[in-house]
């Protein structure tokens, strides 16, 4: 594979191949948890944290356990187990040591183990053959990209509550129309920044 | 229990996309063409049917406190099988669907049906439920894929056969890019909501 600069990976994760708007990963939370800015912030914080952690853990597992034992076919199952265990562990540690953080992030943590964005970043790391540092950077960058879009989306949705629109568009269709506009903006990064 | 009405329920009232609003990621990501939509639905249907059968068959043995991890392991096993079959026998399709084949494992439709239906019903009704839900998923994906492909490229080409060709010049390329997916599903959902509201107004 071509050696990619870390900055390139960062920009790809945050903007060019944004998880929500370009790659369509993690959409359940995108339409589900963006009704107000506060919960969107909490969810994004938890996602950044878990994405960075699971990129690290799954890289170590894949490179030092599965490949030496020729068990790459178990990759998918073991990644899921790792993510689920990690989410449990994070929940446990945060609840015990940082109660304030737990109160704001706590309810979002269980949602994350079934979030396709987290498993997606782990699988993409394997697919792109990223090394350790690259995997960690890509995981964190994807989480940041997720946060950028979640915050934009929730802020727009909060304001659009006061707008008069037909009742059959309110809710999900409206969320998708807003996403269309945001996605149009993000798609243009493909051409603006030729990487 | 009526087999036909159960399958129709999967397509209409319990439709995974418009009724239950589950599994949005693959719905939007792979529907750039009808062909991809069919491939994705076939993979999902395989996993859904087998996961429902196994969960239902084992429902008396699975302790309810650890049922979710067990469901996930069952689902992940079948997803791995689909992943390997697709990679071996349908390489172009596998390349087009990419990371979304392994991601079937976190598709909420499958674990949702395991939890809400297969865990409480016998093997045969779980099988029928899975067939109905898969049919609903296939139809929605083909509809979205069809709309995007015909507007985005001006024609529908499926497995080498040109089904429809429109004199669309220039084609609306945006429709096969990510924004097209959001626009299509938003419009379809608005139409579904409108029809539902109309029905409710008539009934009440």
């Amino acid at each position: 594979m071509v050696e990619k600069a870390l900055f390139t990976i960062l920009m790809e994760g945050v903007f060019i191949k944004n998880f929500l708007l370009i790659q369509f990963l993690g959409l359940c939370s995108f339409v589900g948890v963006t009704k107000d800015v506060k919960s969107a912030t909490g969810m994004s914080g938890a996602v950044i944290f878990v994405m960075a952690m699971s990129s690290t853990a799954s890289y170590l597992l894949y490179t030092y356990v599965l490949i030496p034992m020729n068990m790459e076919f178990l990759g998918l199952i073991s990644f899921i187990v790792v993510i689920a265990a990690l989410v449990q562990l994070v929940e446990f540690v945060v609840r015990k040591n940082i109660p304030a953080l737990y109160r704001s992030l706590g309810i979002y943590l269980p949602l994350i183990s079934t979030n396709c964005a987290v498993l997606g970043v782990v699988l993409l790391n394997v697919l792109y053959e990223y090394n350790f540092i690259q995997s960690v950077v890509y995981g964190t960058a994807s989480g940041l990209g997720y946060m950028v879009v979640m915050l934009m989306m929730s802020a727009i949705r909060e304001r659009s509550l006061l707008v008069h629109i037909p009742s059959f568009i309110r809710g999900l269709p409206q969320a998708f129309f807003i996403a269309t506009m945001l996605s149009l903006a993000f798609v243009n990064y493909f051409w603006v920044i030729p990487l | 229990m009526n087999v036909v009405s159960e399958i129709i329920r999967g397509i209409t009232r319990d439709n995974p996309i418009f009724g239950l609003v589950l599994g949005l990621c693959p719905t939007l990501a792979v529907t750039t063409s009808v062909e991809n939509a069919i491939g994705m639905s076939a993979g999902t249907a395989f996993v859904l049917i087998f996961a429902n059968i196994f969960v239902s068959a084992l429902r008396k043995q699975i302790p309810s406190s650890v049922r979710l991890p067990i469901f996930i392991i069952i689902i992940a096993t079948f997803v791995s099988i689909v992943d390997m079959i697709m990679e071996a026998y349908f390489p172009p399709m596998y390349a087009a669907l990419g990371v979304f084949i392994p991601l079937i494992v976190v598709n909420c439709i499958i674990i949702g049906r395991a939890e809400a239906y297969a865990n409480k019903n016998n093997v045969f009704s779980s099988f029928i439920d899975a067939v109905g839900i898969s049919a609903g998923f296939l139809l929605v994906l083909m509809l979205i894929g069809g709309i995007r492909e015909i507007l985005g490229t001006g024609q529908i080409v499926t497995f080498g056969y040109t089904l429809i060709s429109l004199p669309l010049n220039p084609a609306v390329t945006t429709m096969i890019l990510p924004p097209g997916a959001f626009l299509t599903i938003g419009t379809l959902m608005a139409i579904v909501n409108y029809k539902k509201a109309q029905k409710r107004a008539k009934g009440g």
Side-chain angles (χ1 to χ4, degrees):
Chain A
M1 65 158 256
V2 190
E3 193 63 32
K4 269 193 204 163
L6 289 181
F7 184 70
T8 312
I9 293 176
L10 186 77
M11 292 308 278
E12 264 189 15
V14 180
F15 295 114
I16 302 163
K17 291 188 184 166
N18 187 283
F19 261 50
L20 290 169
L21 294 176
I22 305 296
Q23 306 213 47
F24 300 116
L25 293 164
L27 288 180
C28 300
S29 54
F30 181 51
V31 293
V33 202
T34 50
K35 292 198 180 87
D36 59 297
V37 176
K38 198 162 171 282
S39 44
T41 318
M43 182 74 188
S44 320
V47 165
I48 295 179
F49 200 51
V50 174
M51 268 186 176
M53 298 266 289
S54 49
S55 298
T56 316
S58 62
Y59 177 83
L60 296 175
L61 178 82
Y62 193 74
T63 316
Y64 296 107
V65 180
L66 293 180
I67 288 181
M69 290 168 81
N70 276 324
M71 296 206 299
E72 289 95 332
F73 63 90
L74 279 182
L76 182 61
I77 295 182
S78 51
F79 291 154
I80 292 175
V81 175
V82 165
I83 293 172
L86 205 65
V87 170
Q88 285 290 314
L89 188 77
V90 168
E91 193 181 349
F92 200 63
V93 171
V94 171
R95 180 160 50 183
K96 201 155 185 323
N97 297 326
I98 325 169
L101 185 66
Y102 181 76
R103 273 196 294 280
S104 57
L105 294 190
I107 51 166
Y108 302 107
L109 281 171
L111 286 176
I112 286 176
S113 29
T114 54
N115 188 327
C116 33
V118 178
L119 185 61
V121 77
V122 169
L123 291 170
L124 287 175
N125 277 335
V126 173
L127 188 74
Y128 295 156
E129 298 174 13
Y130 282 157
N131 64 26
F132 181 68
I133 302 290
Q134 285 172 326
S135 298
V136 176
V137 170
Y138 190 61
T140 318
S142 304
L144 286 173
Y146 180 92
M147 186 170 86
V148 168
V149 175
M150 287 290 274
L151 291 182
M152 281 168 34
M153 182 75 174
S154 56
I156 296 173
R157 280 184 83 175
E158 236 178 34
R159 296 211 165 192
S160 65
L161 273 181
L162 301 171
V163 180
H164 285 287
I165 51 170
S167 62
F168 61 91
I169 295 182
R170 196 168 279 291
L172 283 178
Q174 183 197 13
F176 283 119
F177 290 141
I178 299 169
T180 311
M181 294 299 138
L182 290 178
S183 181
L184 264 178
F186 270 71
V187 159
N188 289 301
Y189 283 115
F190 279 137
W191 293 286
V192 173
I193 311 172
L195 287 167
Chain B
M1 161 195 126
N2 187 342
V3 172
V4 177
S5 72
E6 282 288 291
I7 290 180
I8 289 176
R9 176 180 61 86
I11 298 174
T12 53
R13 188 166 58 86
D14 277 359
N15 185 293
I17 312 298
F18 295 123
L20 308 172
V21 197
L22 294 173
L24 288 174
C25 307
T27 311
L28 296 182
V30 302
T31 49
T32 48
S33 68
V34 175
E35 197 176 313
N36 288 351
I38 294 174
M40 187 69 212
S41 318
T44 311
F46 177 89
V47 177
L48 181 58
I49 288 170
F50 279 96
N52 253 14
I53 291 175
F54 270 69
V55 166
S56 170
L58 294 171
R59 71 185 187 281
K60 300 222 169 73
Q61 275 76 41
I62 299 175
S64 68
S65 51
V66 290
R67 63 183 192 285
L68 287 180
I70 293 178
F71 293 169
I72 290 179
I73 301 283
I74 293 175
I75 295 167
T77 312
F78 288 108
V79 173
S80 300
I81 294 172
V82 169
D83 192 52
M84 285 181 240
I85 291 176
M86 280 227 172
E87 193 173 10
Y89 295 106
F90 310 100
M93 179 75 82
Y94 186 77
L97 299 180
V99 76
F100 283 93
I101 290 294
L103 279 178
I104 293 175
V105 80
V106 280
N107 191 327
C108 333
I109 295 172
I110 294 163
I111 196 146
R113 288 328 280 174
E115 168 75 11
Y117 199 92
N119 197 26
K120 299 183 188 104
N121 290 282
N122 64 31
V123 175
F124 184 68
S125 3
S126 304
F127 170 71
I128 297 297
D129 177 70
V131 172
I133 297 282
S134 307
F137 191 61
L138 173 72
L139 288 178
V140 173
L141 255 67
M142 280 178 66
L143 177 67
I144 299 175
I147 293 172
R148 290 181 67 189
E149 193 177 359
I150 196 139
L151 293 176
T153 63
Q155 53 186 6
I156 295 183
V157 182
T158 306
F159 302 110
Y161 300 100
T162 309
L163 300 181
I164 306 171
S165 183
L166 282 187
L168 214 61
N169 194 21
V172 196
T173 326
T174 318
M175 289 304 283
I176 51 171
L177 292 172
F182 285 118
L183 186 63
T184 312
I185 196 167
T187 314
L188 288 176
M189 271 191 176
I191 293 171
V192 168
N193 281 356
Y194 185 65
K195 288 282 166 205
K196 270 188 195 159
Q198 249 184 356
K199 218 172 161 187
R200 223 177 293 132
K202 237 182 239 166

